[in-house]
Amino acid sequence: MASKLLLIVVFILDLIAFGLAVAAEQRRSTAKIVQDSEVNYNYCVYDSDISTGYGVGALLFLMASQVLVMVASKCFCCGKALNPSGSRAWAVILFIVCWLFFLIAEICLLAGSVRNAYHTKYRTIFSEKPPSCETLRKGVFGAGAAFIFLNAIVNKFYYICYSSARENSFQAYGGEAGVGMASYK
């Protein structure tokens, strides 16, 4: 049976990562063009940069969750062979989907955090057009949160299927020396 303690800890880590990703989406940096006091040039003023920290936090909590599940399942490739069954087949499929969702979520969170931390530093002279105050597009952290949610579901199902297949592990000769030998009386 799958470890209930592990499932609870992973759920809490995923929940924290999801909450941080949603908070990062809500607190993305915004910018406005400001004229200096001498009216010689325009420049960009950005508000709080806290969503970068939220995005990195979500990334780290999601990574901790993924590592915990993979260590508990020995990353599916180490350990004794699993019994060929429906549970093993689902574990293989869910393992691949779990890693796919994890990578997409991590890419969204990392790209969002890096892009949100970037602020245009140049100014324009009064005769030029106003500067481009670049900010993060809406929905990048939201996409990361969506994939965190999907990964949270899939990695729990993966661990449960893996545990089920591990319980019914394949044993070479069933522990008996005479397996496969017919006895005639």
Side-chain angles (χ1 to χ4, degrees):
M1 182 64 194
S3 168
K4 290 178 183 164
L5 178 63
L6 177 78
L7 290 173
I8 291 169
V9 169
V10 168
F11 174 76
I12 291 170
L13 290 173
D14 286 335
L15 187 64
I16 292 170
F18 179 78
L20 287 172
V22 169
E25 178 65 30
Q26 296 298 316
R27 301 288 309 260
R28 287 178 298 112
S29 291
T30 56
K32 61 182 177 180
I33 300 172
V34 175
Q35 239 180 8
D36 76 334
S37 59
E38 298 172 6
V39 192
N40 289 335
Y41 57 87
N42 297 326
Y43 59 97
C44 299
V45 174
Y46 292 88
D47 65 351
S48 172
D49 197 25
I50 193 148
S51 64
T52 299
Y54 287 158
V56 170
L59 181 137
L60 294 175
F61 275 104
L62 180 62
M63 189 177 296
S65 164
Q66 187 79 358
V67 165
L68 203 57
V69 170
M70 291 304 140
V71 165
S73 67
K74 298 176 185 139
C75 199
F76 197 72
C77 56
C78 301
K80 59 185 178 177
L82 300 178
N83 188 24
S85 66
S87 293
R88 183 179 83 170
W90 276 111
V92 170
I93 292 167
L94 292 171
F95 176 79
I96 294 167
V97 172
C98 177
W99 274 105
L100 180 69
F101 286 165
F102 171 75
L103 290 174
I104 293 171
E106 291 286 307
I107 289 169
C108 287
L109 294 170
L110 184 63
S113 296
V114 168
R115 186 71 180 143
N116 191 68
Y118 174 77
H119 299 308
T120 352
K121 303 250 191 272
Y122 66 88
R123 307 175 218 182
T124 60
I125 309 291
F126 65 91
S127 63
E128 296 178 18
K129 58 184 178 180
S132 168
C133 300
E134 297 181 16
T135 58
L136 178 66
R137 288 181 57 179
K138 189 174 186 175
V140 175
F141 286 122
F147 280 102
I148 288 171
F149 178 74
L150 293 172
N151 186 56
I153 293 170
V154 171
N155 75 4
K156 282 160 199 57
F157 281 129
Y158 157 71
Y159 181 66
I160 290 169
C161 288
Y162 175 83
S163 296
S164 176
R166 187 184 62 205
E167 284 176 5
N168 304 322
S169 290
F170 180 72
Q171 294 180 359
Y173 295 108
E176 298 179 18
V179 172
M181 303 286 289
S183 65
Y184 299 100
K185 291 184 184 185

